[in-house]
Amino acid sequence: MGGETLSLYLKQIEQLAALQKIDDEIMQLNAFLQNAPVELGLMQERSLELQDNIKELEQKIVQVAAQRDQLESDIEDANLKIKKSKNKLMMVSNSKEHQAMIREIDNLEKMNRNREEEKVSVMEEMTRQEEILNEIKKELADLQQEVSQKKKQINQRLQSSKERLKILQDLRGKAEEVIPKPILSRYHFIRSRLSQPVVVAVEQGICKGCNISIPPQTFNVLQKGEQILSCPNCHRIIYWAGHFAEEELESVSS
Ligand SMILES: [Zn+2]
């Protein structure tokens, strides 16, 4: 009779441990199912952002190119004027007029030197913008590749996760059938409040959930294997490690 009680007790503990493993896996799968689309959404948001950046940069580059073209045509115009003035200069004999023309030529040449300087900085700016543009284009290409890989991966995992969830729900139902109702609700209660795991072994008198020794009296009762106990300190459901070989509990749910 005592043996029957123990074997029933052990079965309940086994099923509690199995339930815990099942619930952990369900939790992980649900987390994945929730997070994956969010993660994908963030990646797509980033890719839209990059596309906007590219548009902006391309517009900026067009503007800078227009600036450069304007400078080039201004320089050309001024050069023409300078050439004309220099030709005229040879025909002017009046010294006042001569000096005025030299001043004008100097002025035009000075303005062109400024324009050349400005053109250098405009070209530098353009190179800089083009470099940024190329970097962003590369980032976008990488991201888009990542997104399509992730999508594929997620779709595959979604399918297998849904199938696995069905199996787990089934296993869960079976595990729950064996566990007495009050213990089951105790399990759900502490699971929702404490960090996992909540079904823990007691080894050498120490609760593996909180690493504190349980009172010798409780330990004695625990070793008898007649009723399911909780750790007086952390309230996790405890079992005596001596009742099980390590791999026994590891394999219950798989
Ligand atoms: Zn404890």
Side-chain angles (χ1 to χ4, degrees), residues 207 210 231 234:
C207 164
C210 62
C231 167
C234 70

Side-chain angles (χ1 to χ4, degrees), residues 200 207-212 214 230-236 238:
V200 295
C207 164
K208 285 298 181 185
C210 62
N211 286 316
I212 287 174
I214 59 168
S230 290
C231 167
N233 179 56
C234 70
H235 307 294
R236 288 179 174 83
I238 47 175

Side-chain angles (χ1 to χ4, degrees), residues 15-27 30 164-179 184 187-189 191-192 252-253:
Q15 289 309 308
L16 270 171
L19 184 61
Q20 171 163 267
K21 276 191 112 180
I22 291 165
D23 281 343
D24 283 347
E25 199 181 335
I26 289 175
M27 202 168 67
N30 280 333
R164 180 73 184 147
L165 268 179
K166 264 188 219 146
I167 296 170
L168 288 170
Q169 297 291 7
D170 205 41
L171 284 171
R172 191 172 197 267
K174 279 179 191 151
E176 287 193 341
E177 271 170 30
V178 180
I179 304 163
L184 197 58
Y187 164 82
H188 288 306
F189 182 80
R191 195 176 160 88
S192 66
V252 275
S253 71

